[in-house]
Amino acid sequence: MKVREFHKTLVCIRTKFWLSRATEEPKLKDLPVNEQIKAAKVLVIDSNGSQMGEISTRDALAHAREQGLDLVLVSPNANPQVCKIMNYGKFKFDSQKKEKDSKKSQKVLEMKQVKLSMKISDGDMEYRAKQVLKFAERGYKVKVFIQKSRGRAQIYDAKGLDILRKFADMVSEEYRIEKEPSFGMYDINMVLTILTKKEKEQRNNAKNENK
């Protein structure tokens, strides 16, 4: 008797698990729809999210058609299988749009590198600053670096930090410092990233307030 009760409890837990999965928005893929569903009976989630329980696939399909919607198999590995009533065409369209938007937001920015030197002239620095501002149009991050000196000349490397900060100020209309100027193993470097629209607005407002 205890074994049977345990089995019933286990079935109940599994059913609740698959129902909870089915009430979530299914992932974008080719799901069996309407007549493609071969099971005789299925657990059904109505279009409003309510659970209709286990009914025949024929009755579930009829119920979906009464609403002008589709019966979609969202959990084929459940026992019994779980279906959801929805507008499948609209679901696929919305899912594809979300997927494209997600890929855009997850796009990894390519990084350009710009090399300066301890003895760089103001003219050369201005030229490189103009190059970096052009990188902003294409959405690039920028690593700016100065090769570290050798031998006794290393005592002047601290000057490199000031050069990098000066360069950051020259491109500040499009970039902000993401990684502060610091000493690496072989160079002195910083990383610049593009200002967001909100950051530009905040910077412009701050300038106007200081006038």
Side-chain angles (χ1 to χ4, degrees):
M1 188 68 179
K2 290 183 179 180
V3 174
R4 288 183 179 179
E5 289 177 357
F6 174 76
H7 179 70
K8 287 181 180 180
T9 302
L10 184 61
V11 170
C12 182
I13 292 172
R14 290 179 62 187
T15 301
K16 286 182 178 179
F17 169 75
W18 285 110
L19 281 172
S20 65
R21 291 282 300 274
T23 54
E24 299 173 359
E25 186 173 283
K27 295 180 179 179
L28 177 60
K29 56 183 177 179
D30 292 327
L31 301 170
V33 183
N34 300 327
E35 288 81 3
Q36 296 174 353
I37 302 169
K38 304 302 182 184
K41 288 187 176 183
V42 289
L43 278 173
V44 181
I45 309 296
D46 204 352
S47 57
N48 57 14
S50 61
Q51 299 177 13
M52 296 178 63
E54 186 179 358
I55 60 176
S56 70
T57 304
R58 181 181 297 176
D59 289 343
L61 183 55
H63 187 75
R65 284 175 171 164
E66 284 175 4
Q67 301 177 61
L69 299 173
D70 302 297
L71 184 68
V72 183
L73 181 60
V74 292
S75 296
N77 297 324
N79 185 19
Q81 295 179 338
V82 182
C83 290
K84 195 170 185 178
I85 294 174
M86 67 172 79
N87 184 331
Y88 189 53
K90 184 177 183 299
F91 161 72
K92 288 192 73 173
F93 176 81
D94 291 342
S95 297
Q96 287 169 347
K97 188 174 183 301
K98 286 181 182 178
E99 197 173 79
K100 287 180 181 178
D101 292 341
S102 178
K103 286 180 179 179
K104 285 180 182 178
S105 64
Q106 293 174 2
K107 183 181 178 183
V108 178
L109 293 177
E110 184 178 342
M111 185 179 292
K112 292 288 187 178
Q113 296 196 24
V114 175
K115 184 178 180 181
L116 306 180
S117 70
M118 294 291 187
K119 298 179 179 180
I120 190 169
S121 66
D122 290 342
D124 285 343
M125 193 178 290
E126 288 176 4
Y127 174 76
R128 284 173 172 75
K130 288 178 181 177
Q131 285 183 315
V132 169
L133 291 173
K134 288 181 179 179
F135 293 155
E137 297 173 5
R138 301 175 63 183
Y140 292 131
K141 283 188 178 184
V142 181
K143 177 183 177 181
V144 188
F145 69 97
I146 300 172
Q147 204 74 35
K148 288 174 74 173
S149 305
R150 295 182 180 180
R152 293 181 180 179
Q154 288 182 346
I155 61 174
Y156 301 108
D157 280 350
K159 179 185 174 184
L161 299 175
D162 295 330
I163 293 172
L164 292 179
R165 292 192 183 99
K166 181 180 178 180
F167 188 83
D169 288 338
M170 295 174 72
V171 297
S172 60
E173 62 186 84
E174 294 291 344
Y175 283 92
R176 64 174 173 81
I177 297 176
E178 180 179 292
K179 176 181 173 293
E180 289 289 336
S182 59
F183 291 94
M185 185 174 292
Y186 303 107
D187 62 16
I188 309 163
N189 64 76
M190 69 177 175
V191 176
L192 304 175
T193 192
I194 297 172
L195 289 168
T196 63
K197 186 177 179 181
K198 185 177 181 180
E199 286 173 333
K200 285 184 179 180
E201 289 175 353
Q202 290 174 342
R203 182 169 291 188
N204 290 334
N205 290 337
K207 285 181 180 179
N208 292 332
E209 288 175 1
N210 293 329
K211 286 183 179 179

